Amino acid sequence: MSLGRKFKPGLFLKVIVAITLGALLGMVASEPLVRVFKTFNVLFAQVLKFIIPLMVLGLVTPAIAHVGKGAGKMLLVVLGIAYLSTICSGFFAHICASNAFPFYLNAGELSPSAVSAKDFQPYFDLKIPPLCDILTALLLSFMVGVGIIFTRSSALQKGFDEFGAIVKLTIEKAVIPLLPWYIFTMICEMSAKGVIAVVLGSGFKIILTGIVLSVCYLFIQYCVAAAIARKNPFKCLWNMLTAYLTAFSVCSSSAVIPVTAACTRKNGIRDEIVDFTIPLCSTVHMCGSTIKLAVSAIAVAYLTGTPLPLAVYAHFVLMQGIAAVAAPGVMGGVLMASVGLLESIMGFTPDQTALVMTLYLALDGYGPACNVTGDGAIALIIDRLFKPQTHA
């Protein structure tokens, strides 16, 4: 039976193939062919811009509504710690990456003035305006989600659940499968412009930076959590290694919940705390994915010579931490939920956003690996804060 199964490459492999083929084809492709690819690239970017606000409305709204069911003290504490950890990871990435990149990346290397004068125009540019901007969708989602909690509107919740299922289906069956093609066309154009060596060389350094920072952040998390829980941080972190490696290979936080729960129990966490905290954190705690996204965005801004004031970046991180609740169950969910914020808050162009997406997806596993391992740290804190016989 196994011989009859068709091999289905994962998104990671498809992205690597797209980068390789795009780099090679761009060296020999004629201008008309590159313009065909550019046309697809521009059109897909417009579709993305249209879908992202709908994704926020369809996925963030029911996520908030479902999380709010049976809300109690423990729920609020877990949500608060998870959000704090997520935004702290973004600021941690900013401090470290901003100070590290000048040592091995060249500022403005991909700025318009430094890039080849070649400019490939699409054959047509079809405008698809979104129904609303990303911030409007985010605020509306929060308002409706909280409103459903307090009004207990089952009809409205069911409607958003079904709308979310449609949006999720669109992303999984249309957007995600086309992402490698989107990356392929962008890499092909860069190769035709003669800047692919810079992109690939810098990309390796950027990804390695993200991995190192995510591991360092885990050490910080466990030092803090273990100090509160009065446990050995290194032993606790070691017990989570299986969850880290599994999430690294599967590239999903929610898919490895059973493994994360089993590893968390090894740290002496009570079953009721594990059963409550781990599934919830897989929905709202995205520290690793935030580090990966932040490092990629900061690098792109640095390489393209785009100013990135701290106030603008802080605005992005605070909003991205909320948008990340749309991520669970959707491959590349944190990235998809944040694309609109990159453009609306940080002022990125579609080309810059595409480059961030490429860097983010080139090695997807270390983000979810950091996410699930960090969930164990939150469980340590919750287990200490809530004494036995105390339930939410």
Side-chain angles (χ1 to χ4, degrees), residues 204-328:
F204 174 78
K205 300 173 186 176
I206 295 165
I207 292 171
L208 186 59
T209 300
I211 294 174
V212 171
L213 292 185
S214 66
V215 172
C216 290
Y217 190 72
L218 284 176
F219 275 106
I220 295 173
Q221 276 186 317
Y222 273 83
C223 285
V224 173
I228 295 173
R230 298 177 184 176
K231 293 179 180 287
N232 185 327
F234 301 103
K235 182 179 179 180
C236 291
L237 193 53
W238 175 259
N239 287 336
M240 297 297 298
L241 181 61
T242 301
Y244 182 92
L245 295 177
T246 304
F248 196 102
S249 59
V250 175
C251 301
S252 171
S253 299
S254 56
V256 297
I257 288 176
V259 180
T260 308
C263 291
T264 303
R265 288 188 175 93
K266 291 181 181 179
N267 287 327
I269 309 300
R270 286 167 288 142
D271 287 343
E272 61 268 27
I273 298 296
V274 173
D275 293 341
F276 180 87
T277 305
I278 297 304
L280 178 58
C281 284
S282 73
T283 303
V284 298
H285 186 222
M286 298 293 158
C287 59
S289 297
T290 297
I291 288 176
K292 182 167 59 167
L293 179 68
V295 169
S296 300
I298 293 166
V300 169
Y302 187 77
L303 289 171
T304 56
T306 302
L308 190 58
L310 180 58
V312 173
Y313 180 81
H315 183 194
F316 168 77
V317 169
L318 293 173
M319 299 305 294
Q320 189 271 334
I322 299 174
V325 299

Side-chain angles (χ1 to χ4, degrees), residues 292-367:
K292 182 167 59 167
L293 179 68
V295 169
S296 300
I298 293 166
V300 169
Y302 187 77
L303 289 171
T304 56
T306 302
L308 190 58
L310 180 58
V312 173
Y313 180 81
H315 183 194
F316 168 77
V317 169
L318 293 173
M319 299 305 294
Q320 189 271 334
I322 299 174
V325 299
V330 182
M331 186 179 294
V334 171
L335 175 65
M336 298 304 300
S338 305
V339 166
L341 298 177
L342 288 171
E343 296 185 6
S344 63
I345 295 179
M346 297 176 72
F348 277 19
T349 65
D351 287 342
Q352 288 175 308
T353 300
L355 189 52
V356 171
M357 295 171 71
T358 302
L359 293 170
Y360 186 98
L361 294 171
L363 186 58
D364 193 32
Y366 77 87

Side-chain angles (χ1 to χ4, degrees), residues 187-201:
I187 294 295
C188 185
E189 182 186 2
M190 287 186 171
S191 181
K193 288 183 176 181
V195 298
I196 192 62
V198 174
V199 173
L200 296 182

Side-chain angles (χ1 to χ4, degrees), residues 14 121 136 143 152 160 182 252 275 302 316 366 391:
K14 292 178 182 178
Q121 297 296 325
T136 300
M143 183 189 76
R152 299 179 182 178
F160 271 96
Y182 182 50
S252 171
D275 293 341
Y302 187 77
F316 168 77
Y366 77 87
H391 302 277

